[in-house]
């Protein structure tokens, strides 16, 4: 059974694959423009407590607010 989680549920050091981006076209386009697309592998650098979520996609680092991070669905990786 596959279980999907929101980025806001991930802890520091966890890895995941983006499954879906929920929300309106504006949010989707913004995140896709930043490289957060379905199939993208991410690593959580900082879990957003306090402050933004900091994630790594390849050699890129991105900071996301909690509202935006909550719209990203992931499949956890081992």
């Amino acid at each position: 059974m596959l279980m999907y989680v929101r980025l806001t549920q991930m802890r520091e050091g966890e890895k995941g694959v983006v499954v879906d981006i929920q929300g309106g076209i504006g949010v989707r386009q913004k995140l896709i423009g930043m490289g957060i697309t379905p199939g993208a592998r991410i690593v959580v650098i900082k879990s957003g407590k306090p402050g933004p979520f900091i994630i790594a996609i390849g050699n890129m680092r991105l900071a996301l607010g909690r509202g935006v991070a909550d719209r990203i669905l992931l499949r956890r990786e081992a």
Side-chain angles (χ1 to χ4, degrees):
M1 179 170 133
L2 288 176
M3 184 147 170
Y4 301 132
V5 296
R6 296 183 183 279
L7 177 56
T8 52
Q9 296 172 294
M10 301 277 284
R11 290 187 221 117
E12 292 178 12
E14 282 192 298
K15 298 175 185 177
V17 176
V18 177
V19 175
D20 191 22
I21 299 168
Q22 299 179 330
I25 190 74
V27 171
R28 292 176 66 83
Q29 286 181 335
K30 178 179 178 179
L31 292 173
I32 288 170
M34 292 166 45
I36 302 171
T37 60
R41 286 185 157 76
I42 67 146
V43 178
V44 178
I45 304 297
K46 185 174 178 290
S47 66
K49 296 176 187 173
F53 278 79
I54 299 176
I55 61 171
I57 299 177
N59 60 1
M60 205 172 36
R61 302 291 185 269
L62 298 170
L64 302 172
R66 181 165 292 279
V68 173
D70 200 47
R71 297 176 183 267
I72 302 169
L73 280 179
L74 302 163
R75 182 183 73 240
R76 280 190 171 118
E77 285 194 328

